[in-house]
């Protein structure tokens, strides 16, 4: 079991990473100054898989489970409003606890509800997808979608704890696992060359096949424990330095500028988050290479690792023009300029907003855009 | 002009209090690191009175005014959602600025939108009612109402500046002025006996009649400048010590426990906020006297000052039982116990949650409850 501290002064908290630890959560939080009333917000699928195990360890608390239908389209103000209703009905108070048990949708939605119900109640993130474990559940970003944009409404709100059971990875569909891997690769590129090497050396463990037999599962879980803990550590370090994304934290957006545009343009269907980010990371690396900021070999290592992990490295069915137009509405625009995170080498990125549209356009064309 | 600093580390900000200073806001904020795109959120009434003066000073910024219909019933998620829409349409970004120009409804709603649009954009509070100037606009409480409770949805979100023009008080209806005075009296009771004395000595200035002739207006504005600045200073001090109301800040709820119950039970019509708080302060003082915590003379001074200012000191048309039941749903309940702020003397209060229902009941009966 690993414990990683997110250093945020009076809002500091621990990330716990372990295998098969879901039923120890109650014990783990019993000494913290939290209320005794717990509301587990989850979806039917995750509830079926992990609800009972989590609940079995909540001795000394009263608890109630609130289910949200599966799917990103329920991550909206209407569903938040229905959760507020249920919390009021059950007399949830300021020291009650919300446990967000599930993937990114649940974490974002339950986190937003915790952030805004009575101006904030206790929140514990229990992420069950790789994407949520290495990214969404750490750092306090919460939010819901609005008809005009994804995560357009939200708040920075830190949990009291992030509690990660990597055994949950063994029930993920292959595509879900891959979408999280894109963020894992990102951490290597932006911050840690050794971690990137570790991923290159262990890429054969990083797929659902590794979970199929007890032997490979055991070996895989060891590797996953390292990967999830290391990713969490890098994310925690960046967040600690810049809680509300005014500066450094923007490096976490490596691959996300173009990635978000592609997700939005394909209506979150043709490409999921990690797939779009993978394409975005390739594009940003190639743009950096054009600008003579990074060498060709490093770009190839990024492209090869993503490909080995089954992630897309080319764009299909979108024009470069559409992508560039879509950049304008993204949250990463500051005073009309698009922010790009560009790698200088594996393990180091910089933020630029002076890119020539011509360069972006020509790289996207090379990558398959018409 | 007075400048009061709210000390909240990296979220510190200034409260500016002056007379006729609305058109100097642009100049005042020009050296701060804010974006150049301003969205003024206001209502038609306030916009007519003060919009032009505010806008005339916003040189060097682009600005747009978003109107919200007058009234508490528009302080809801639906209106927030419509404001998000308008912000997206006008390409508001993370460094854009929202100016909340108006009373408490506008401050709460615009503050909540600023807190949650793209996880938080710059907010400047320009309160135009006494209640908002001395209370709502300071301290970062934002929120909207929900069908099941007032301010049930919200966030703690600090503004970049609070900019108070006391000339705005001269256009307030008498009842609006009185509702703010209840909070002013509260500051004296909870924190500052000298300030309480000042209010006793100057109560003749504290009504709309004082605004009617140029002579009395001049004298009144001098008194108001002191009162608003002093109230802001006390609120700022308490907030600085306890940003998210986990401890000390609860003393600001003096009079609010019973006050909120009365407001809710009379559907925010029979009694407005300050009127209900005035009744709540009298009740809490009397309860404290029953518990031998405060002497009779101090209770009488509180009652007399409130009465002199035209505020109610008795309850009409409500039963004690109903009020006591309504206490349970209020945000000030912790683990099932109702928190009461009780005065020990003028200038000092303590927090208690061990009150006998019998005492509350009998004090309310004395105050006119059936």
């Amino acid at each position: 079991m690993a414990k990683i501290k997110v250093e945020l002064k009076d809002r500091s908290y621990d990330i716990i990473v372990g295998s098969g630890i879901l039923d120890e959560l109650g014990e783990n939080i019993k000494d913290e100054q939290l209320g005794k009333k717990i509301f587990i917000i989850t979806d039917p699928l995750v509830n079926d898989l992990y609800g009972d195990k989590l609940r079995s360890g909540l001795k000394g608390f009263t608890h109630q489970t609130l289910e949200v239908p599966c799917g990103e389209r329920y991550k909206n103000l209407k569903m938040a409003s229905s959760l507020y209703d249920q919390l009021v009905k059950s007399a949830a108070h300021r020291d009650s606890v919300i446990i967000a048990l599930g993937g990114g949708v649940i974490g974002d939605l339950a986190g937003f509800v915790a952030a805004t119900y009575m101006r904030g109640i206790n929140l514990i993130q229990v992420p069950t997808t790789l994407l949520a474990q290495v990214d969404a559940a750490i750092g306090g970003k919460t939010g819901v979608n609005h008809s005009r944009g994804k995560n357009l409404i939200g708040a920075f709100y830190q949990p009291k704890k992030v509690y990660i059971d990597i055994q949950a990875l063994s029930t993920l569909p292959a595509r879900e696992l891959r979408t999280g891997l894109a963020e894992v690769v990102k951490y290597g590129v932006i911050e840690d060359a050794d971690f990137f090497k570790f991923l290159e050396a262990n890429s054969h463990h990083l797929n659902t096949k590794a979970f199929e037999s007890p032997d490979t599962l055991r070996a895989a879980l060891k590797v996953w424990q390292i990967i999830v803990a290391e990713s969490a550590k890098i994310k925690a370090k960046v967040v600690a330095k810049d809680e509300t994304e005014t500066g450094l934290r923007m490096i976490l957006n490596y691959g996300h500028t173009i990635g978000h545009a592609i997700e939005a343009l394909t209506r979150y269907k043709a490409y999921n988050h990690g797939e779009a980010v993978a394409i975005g990371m390739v594009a940003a690396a190639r743009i950096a290479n054009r600008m003579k900021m990074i060498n060709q070999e490093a770009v190839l290592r990024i492209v090869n690792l993503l490909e080995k992990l089954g992630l897309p490295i080319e764009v299909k069915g979108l024009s470069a023009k559409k992508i560039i137009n879509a950049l304008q509405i993204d949250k990463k625009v500051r005073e009309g300029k698009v922010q790009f995170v560009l790698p200088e080498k594996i393990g180091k990125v910089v933020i630029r907003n002076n890119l020539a549209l011509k360069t972006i356009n020509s790289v996207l064309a090379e990558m398959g855009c018409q």
Side-chain angles (χ1 to χ4, degrees), chain A residues 175-365:
Chain A
R175 198 176 172 198
E176 260 304 313
L177 203 65
R178 286 199 297 267
T179 194
L181 279 169
E183 299 287 348
V184 170
V185 170
K186 181 191 79 178
Y187 291 122
V189 177
I190 65 172
E191 196 67 22
D192 192 333
D194 289 337
F195 183 49
F196 191 91
K197 261 188 223 156
F198 179 84
L199 295 173
E200 289 178 315
N202 289 281
S203 61
H204 54 290
H205 289 295
L206 305 181
N207 54 63
T208 48
K209 283 213 187 84
F211 297 132
E212 285 169 10
S213 88
D215 280 357
T216 53
L217 174 68
R218 210 171 303 124
L221 285 181
K222 267 187 199 157
V223 172
W224 281 113
Q225 164 87 25
I226 293 167
I227 284 175
V228 172
E230 192 61 30
S231 298
K233 202 184 285 174
I234 293 171
K235 174 112 192 215
K237 191 174 92 178
V238 175
V239 166
K241 287 186 191 156
D242 176 21
E243 187 177 1
T244 55
E245 202 167 40
T246 53
L248 177 74
R249 187 162 174 169
M250 285 183 200
I251 70 170
L252 295 171
N253 285 327
Y254 170 55
H256 285 60
T257 312
I258 285 176
H260 279 167
I262 290 176
E263 268 185 292
L265 288 170
T266 60
R267 295 169 181 273
Y268 306 95
K269 280 172 193 159
Y271 294 106
N272 67 22
H273 182 68
E275 290 162 355
V277 167
I279 293 169
M281 290 195 286
V282 172
R286 281 172 170 236
I287 289 167
N289 180 249
R290 289 281 188 104
M291 294 168 77
K292 303 199 193 312
M293 292 166 58
I294 188 171
N295 66 35
Q296 186 65 23
E297 187 223 333
V299 177
L300 277 177
R301 281 178 67 198
I302 295 171
V303 174
N304 288 341
L305 178 57
L306 291 170
E307 198 174 16
K308 227 186 270 178
L309 298 174
L311 285 157
I313 52 173
E314 292 192 332
V315 199
K316 276 179 194 143
L318 281 175
S319 75
K321 200 180 154 197
K322 269 198 173 166
I323 294 176
I324 288 168
N325 282 340
L327 296 177
Q328 305 299 323
I329 188 62
D330 192 84
K331 285 193 288 295
K332 284 169 291 299
V333 178
R334 296 223 148 214
E335 288 285 314
K337 283 176 184 162
V338 181
Q339 305 265 326
F340 261 87
V341 183
L342 298 177
E344 291 189 326
K345 59 180 179 182
I346 307 279
K348 185 165 188 340
V349 289
V350 291
I351 295 163
R352 288 289 170 85
N353 60 12
N354 60 347
L355 273 67
L357 285 185
K358 211 173 59 181
T359 313
I360 306 176
N361 195 76
S362 128
V363 163
L364 287 174

Side-chain angles (χ1 to χ4, degrees), chain A residues 15-29:
Chain A
I15 304 168
I16 308 290
V17 185
S19 185
I21 58 169
L22 263 191
D23 52 0
E24 297 161 28
L25 176 59
E27 182 66 20
N28 190 285
I29 59 171

Side-chain angles (χ1 to χ4, degrees), chain A residues 110-229:
Chain A
F112 182 69
V113 167
T116 51
Y117 181 74
M118 294 190 171
R119 299 199 191 94
I121 65 175
N122 298 307
L123 170 66
I124 295 175
Q125 292 279 8
V126 183
T128 56
T129 65
L130 179 60
L131 187 58
Q133 291 183 347
V134 299
D135 187 13
I138 304 165
K141 279 194 183 180
T142 72
V144 295
N145 301 328
H146 186 258
S147 56
R148 292 179 169 274
K150 222 182 142 190
N151 293 321
L152 198 76
I153 306 162
F156 284 99
Y157 191 72
Q158 299 300 339
K160 296 291 176 192
K161 179 146 301 191
V162 180
Y163 199 81
I164 301 176
D165 190 339
I166 55 158
Q167 263 189 12
L169 301 179
S170 65
T171 52
L172 282 186
R175 198 176 172 198
E176 260 304 313
L177 203 65
R178 286 199 297 267
T179 194
L181 279 169
E183 299 287 348
V184 170
V185 170
K186 181 191 79 178
Y187 291 122
V189 177
I190 65 172
E191 196 67 22
D192 192 333
D194 289 337
F195 183 49
F196 191 91
K197 261 188 223 156
F198 179 84
L199 295 173
E200 289 178 315
N202 289 281
S203 61
H204 54 290
H205 289 295
L206 305 181
N207 54 63
T208 48
K209 283 213 187 84
F211 297 132
E212 285 169 10
S213 88
D215 280 357
T216 53
L217 174 68
R218 210 171 303 124
L221 285 181
K222 267 187 199 157
V223 172
W224 281 113
Q225 164 87 25
I226 293 167
I227 284 175
V228 172

Side-chain angles (χ1 to χ4, degrees), chain A residues 29-49:
Chain A
I29 59 171
K30 82 172 185 336
D31 293 332
E32 309 206 11
Q33 299 293 325
L34 308 175
K36 295 296 171 210
K37 217 171 193 170
I38 288 180
F39 295 86
I40 301 167
I41 298 180
T42 187
D43 67 37
L45 208 65
V46 175
N47 197 15
D48 271 4
L49 287 167

